[in-house]
């Protein structure tokens, strides 16, 4: 039974992204509904690029794309860190994503907040192999640059298999892209997919 | 809106009757006013960069008419309640930086509360009435030159979908924020038959406007047309903006493509551009020199992309 994705009412690039998500979750045959020709052509091209055979039917302005075949995941062009590196292995232990939204922990006193954050990141090792991804956004990205007080700890986590990601838009915003010293720059899709695929998401900042 | 009767007088040199880049109004025998306005919703997340792009895009219409921008007014729709003052300040600072680069002063502006952010400027420029560059007027045997790479619409769609890397965003932002000022200055030294800037209708759409109703054909050498490599990759996975599909449906009856022409490349030729490059016709003997000068000034994508042929038929032929 083919999985049905209803993308009616959505405009580009949303239909392609929905289908991409399904393909990357390993769905087999797919049936995709869209309500405009542009989305139809885009989704058809996407599915073809991932190795599907696509048949299109149109009725009353609704296009049904029936896609058969085993998708080929080619990753995302122009983005080294594509959704590919999100593992979905069910045998893994609990997958914890820690989303760090600021370079300080809590509000009240910034000096104290900075110390607490350093302490928190050092103590994260207690999570052991469950620490799947460490994602830094907003001013949190300042913890990934060369002068970071937790640079050694983050490198240690990274060496032990934790995926360390820093929001590219945020690095650009603070003009820190050049200074990033650990992990990879990431985008919102990776972050959305990581938080979705995680067993637990811890947000702080 | 052709059914509407807009006011006009004998000093209107370029008005609403032709689909040109900006309006031109004659003040005296040696001075005419160019006026244009454009604004749009953000194409990148960073407010400063978006401000730069919005202003570069608005200024471009004046350059495409052969003019020099002089004054500008901000037009802002802004969700103050949800976004606060910070991003607004950054966006206007980005815009101001581009105006400064263009030696154009800001005289004022107007803002309204709006659920969706919009920004642009209205620009007034000067041009000598005999030096106006219209979008029609290509001569047979002219070379066609394009000064910026295509593909910004496709890459912006990928950015919207969160699929573009930080490096790609930086590359496309720089391209969109680049002024057409230097290119406009360079072509002033040559005999230019027609000029426009490539924006929402894509390369083919704007080219079609340049030749529509003139009995002029154009041969485009597809392998010489500059485009962003990432745009090709994203288009190949179906990240093509609706505008590109609409542009194609509107103009494909004017286009002759070889059999089996790559549909991905085709979509790039119809891709709506934000703050695209200048597209102009020049004499064949000047083309190489012009492109060399553009390259020397850092306009590295500039290339001769085709030639004009007087066929008696408005037709764009793709070679390649």
């Amino acid at each position: 039974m083919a999985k049905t994705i209803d993308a009616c009412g959505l405009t580009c690039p949303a239909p392609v992204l929905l289908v991409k998500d399904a393909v990357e979750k390993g769905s087999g045959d797919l049936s995709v509904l869209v309500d405009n020709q542009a989305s139809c052509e885009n989704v058809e091209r996407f599915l073809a690029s991932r190795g599907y055979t696509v048949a299109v039917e149109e009725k009353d302005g609704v296009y049904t794309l029936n896609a058969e075949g085993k998708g080929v995941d080619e990753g995302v062009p122009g983005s080294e860190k594509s959704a590919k590196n999100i593992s979905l292995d069910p045998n893994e232990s609990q997958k914890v994503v820690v989303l760090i939204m600021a370079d300080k922990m809590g509000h009240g006193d910034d000096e104290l907040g900075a110390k607490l954050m350093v302490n928190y990141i050092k103590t994260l090792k207690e999570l052991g192999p469950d620490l799947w991804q460490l994602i830094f956004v907003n001013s949190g990205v300042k913890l990934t640059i060369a002068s970071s007080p937790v640079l050694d700890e983050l490198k240690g986590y990274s060496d032990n298999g934790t995926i360390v990601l820093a929001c590219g838009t945020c690095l650009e915003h603070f003009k820190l892209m050049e200074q990033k010293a650990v992990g990879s720059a990431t985008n919102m899709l990776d972050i959305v997919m990581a938080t979705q695929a995680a067993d637990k998401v811890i947000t702080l900042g | 809106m052709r059914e509407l009767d807009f006011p006009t007088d004998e000093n209107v040199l370029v008005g609403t009757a032709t689909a040109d880049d900006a309006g031109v109004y004659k003040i005296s025998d040696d001075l005419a006013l160019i006026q244009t306005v454009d604004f749009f919703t953000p194409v990148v997340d960073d407010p400063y960069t978006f401000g730069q792009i919005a202003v570069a895009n608005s200024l471009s219409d004046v350059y495409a008419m052969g003019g020099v921008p002089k004054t500008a007014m901000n037009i802002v729709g802004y969700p103050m309640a949800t976004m606060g003052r910070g991003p607004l300040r950054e966006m206007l600072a980005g815009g101001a930086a581009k105006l400064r680069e263009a030696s154009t002063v800001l005289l004022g502006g107007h803002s309204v509360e709006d659920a969706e952010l919009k920004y642009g400027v209205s620009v007034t420029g000067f041009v000598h009435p005999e030096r106006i560059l219209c979008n029609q007027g290509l001569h047979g045997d002219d070379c066609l030159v394009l000064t910026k790479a295509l593909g910004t619409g496709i890459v912006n769609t990928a950015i919207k979908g969160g699929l573009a890397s930080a490096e790609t965003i930086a590359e496309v932002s720089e391209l969109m924020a680049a002024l057409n000022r230097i290119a406009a200055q360079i072509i002033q030294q040559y005999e230019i038959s027609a000029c426009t800037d490539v924006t929402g209708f894509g390369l083919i759409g704007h080219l079609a406007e340049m030749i529509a109703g003139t009995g002029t054909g154009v041969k485009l050498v597809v392998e010489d047309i500059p485009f962003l490599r990432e745009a090709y990759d994203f288009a190949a996975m179906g990240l093509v903006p609706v505008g590109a599909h609409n542009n194609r449906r509107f103009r494909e009856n004017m286009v002759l493509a070889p059999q089996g022409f790559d549909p991905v490349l085709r979509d790039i030729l119809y891709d709506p551009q934000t703050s695209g490059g200048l597209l102009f016709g020049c004499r064949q003997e000047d083309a190489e020199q012009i492109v060399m000068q553009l390259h020397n000034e850092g306009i590295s994508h500039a290339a001769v992309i085709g030639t004009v042929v007087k066929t008696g038929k408005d037709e764009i032929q793709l070679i390649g």
Side-chain angles (χ1 to χ4, degrees):
Chain A
M1 179 70 193
K3 180 182 173 173
T4 300
I5 298 171
D6 185 353
C8 289
L10 298 175
T11 54
C12 299
V16 169
L17 297 179
L18 272 180
V19 175
K20 177 176 177 295
D21 190 33
V23 168
E24 280 161 8
K25 283 206 181 110
S27 302
D29 294 354
L30 291 171
S31 178
V32 186
L33 304 178
V34 293
D35 60 4
N36 65 83
Q37 204 181 336
S39 295
C40 174
E41 288 176 35
N42 285 350
V43 170
E44 185 179 3
R45 182 178 294 170
F46 174 75
L47 287 168
S49 77
R50 297 298 171 98
Y52 286 84
T53 310
V54 188
V56 184
E57 288 167 32
E58 197 242 311
K59 199 178 169 222
D60 303 330
V62 174
Y63 300 80
T64 307
L65 295 95
N66 292 304
E68 283 182 19
K70 173 86 184 74
V72 183
D73 186 0
E74 295 178 344
V76 179
S79 153
E80 281 179 35
K81 278 277 155 203
S82 74
K84 260 200 308 196
N85 54 36
I86 295 168
S87 143
L88 289 169
D89 184 352
N91 298 322
E92 277 178 42
S93 53
Q94 189 178 267
K95 283 188 299 230
V96 178
V97 167
V98 179
L99 198 55
I100 309 253
M101 323 273 274
D103 57 349
K104 298 174 191 71
M105 193 177 198
H107 305 286
D109 186 282
D110 283 352
E111 201 181 325
L112 174 65
K115 277 187 196 158
L116 293 175
M117 183 57 87
V118 168
N119 200 356
Y120 177 82
I121 288 177
K122 288 184 176 171
T123 314
L124 266 180
K125 68 171 183 294
E126 302 304 327
L127 284 179
D130 282 358
L131 181 57
W132 179 44
Q133 296 202 18
L134 248 174
I135 305 178
F136 295 88
V137 299
N138 212 316
S139 64
V141 298
K142 292 178 182 171
L143 296 166
T144 66
I145 65 173
S147 60
S148 163
V150 288
L151 184 64
D152 291 340
E153 282 76 14
L154 295 182
K155 283 184 170 163
Y157 291 136
S158 179
D159 291 343
N160 285 329
T162 297
I163 298 169
V164 178
L165 299 174
C167 154
T169 308
C170 312
L171 287 166
E172 289 280 335
H173 178 83
F174 292 109
K175 313 230 175 329
L176 292 174
M177 189 58 87
E178 304 296 321
Q179 278 103 283
K180 178 173 68 65
V182 62
S184 312
T186 188
N187 58 49
M188 207 47 90
L189 182 73
D190 280 1
I191 296 174
V192 168
M193 297 199 59
T195 51
Q196 185 189 28
D199 296 311
K200 188 188 281 178
V201 179
I202 299 169
T203 305
L204 96 165
Chain B
M1 297 289 141
R2 284 176 199 281
E3 69 279 12
L4 292 178
D5 180 26
F6 291 113
T8 184
D9 71 26
E10 68 280 5
N11 291 317
V12 173
L13 302 180
V14 179
T16 56
T18 54
D20 224 311
D21 302 304
V24 186
Y25 190 83
K26 187 169 147 182
I27 294 176
S28 66
D29 286 344
D30 57 5
L31 185 65
L33 205 66
I34 302 180
Q35 279 196 296
T36 181
V37 57
D38 201 352
F39 61 106
F40 46 70
T41 55
V43 288
V44 292
D45 287 338
D46 179 61
Y48 186 89
T49 309
F50 171 58
Q52 290 184 308
I53 294 167
V55 168
N57 179 69
S58 294
L59 289 168
S60 180
D61 285 330
V62 175
Y63 294 127
M65 296 303 293
V68 179
K70 288 291 177 189
T71 68
M73 309 273 265
N74 281 331
I75 301 159
V76 181
Y78 193 78
M80 186 62 85
T82 53
M83 289 188 75
R85 294 192 71 83
L88 175 64
R89 180 188 297 273
E90 275 193 59
M91 182 179 81
L92 297 182
K98 279 291 147 183
L99 289 174
R100 202 165 288 123
E101 187 184 335
S103 304
T104 299
V105 296
L106 186 79
L107 294 182
H110 186 69
S111 60
V112 292
E113 180 77 23
D114 193 335
E116 190 177 35
L117 197 164
K118 298 174 188 79
Y119 177 48
V121 285
S122 81
V123 186
T124 301
F126 293 162
V127 67
H128 192 288
E130 281 157 23
R131 302 282 300 164
I132 299 168
L133 296 178
C134 291
N135 60 5
Q136 293 208 330
L138 289 173
H139 301 147
D141 295 335
D142 270 358
C143 280
L144 276 172
V145 178
L146 175 65
T147 66
K148 282 193 194 180
L150 303 174
T152 59
I154 292 164
V155 174
N156 289 342
T157 305
I159 293 176
K160 231 190 271 176
L163 297 181
S165 67
E167 292 81 1
T168 302
I169 295 174
E171 183 191 4
V172 75
S173 296
E174 192 185 332
L175 182 65
M176 292 187 291
L179 292 178
N180 284 326
R181 180 173 63 105
I182 306 282
Q185 284 169 359
I186 289 172
I187 65 175
Q188 283 292 327
Q189 306 155 22
Y190 296 90
E191 205 175 293
I192 302 300
S193 55
C195 180
T196 190
D197 59 342
V198 179
T199 52
F201 298 129
L203 172 68
I204 290 190
H206 288 281
L207 203 47
E209 284 186 339
M210 294 177 93
I211 62 172
T214 65
T216 307
V218 169
K219 285 186 179 181
L220 288 183
V221 182
V222 175
E223 63 177 30
D224 292 342
I225 300 175
F227 61 84
L228 299 167
R229 185 211 303 265
E230 294 84 354
Y232 189 93
D233 295 339
F234 287 128
M237 60 179 280
L239 291 171
V240 178
V242 179
H245 293 275
N246 294 342
N247 289 341
R248 174 159 56 87
R249 272 187 269 290
F250 185 49
R251 291 299 190 184
E252 65 189 343
N253 58 348
M254 285 175 73
V255 179
L256 266 182
Q259 216 155 31
F261 188 74
D262 180 1
V264 177
L265 214 45
R266 177 199 66 194
D267 287 350
I268 289 173
L269 303 184
Y270 288 103
D271 182 39
Q273 301 298 288
T274 299
S275 188
L278 296 182
L279 170 66
F280 58 87
C282 64
R283 295 187 306 182
Q284 253 179 37
E285 55 266 40
D286 294 334
E288 198 182 325
Q289 177 77 21
I290 293 174
V291 169
M292 204 176 72
Q293 256 182 287
L294 290 166
H295 288 176
N296 288 344
E297 292 292 338
I299 303 166
S300 57
H301 294 130
V304 175
I305 61 167
T307 49
V308 179
V309 278
K310 283 283 176 190
T311 51
K313 205 171 164 206
D314 312 336
E315 192 172 77
I316 298 168
Q317 201 181 336
L318 304 181
I319 317 274

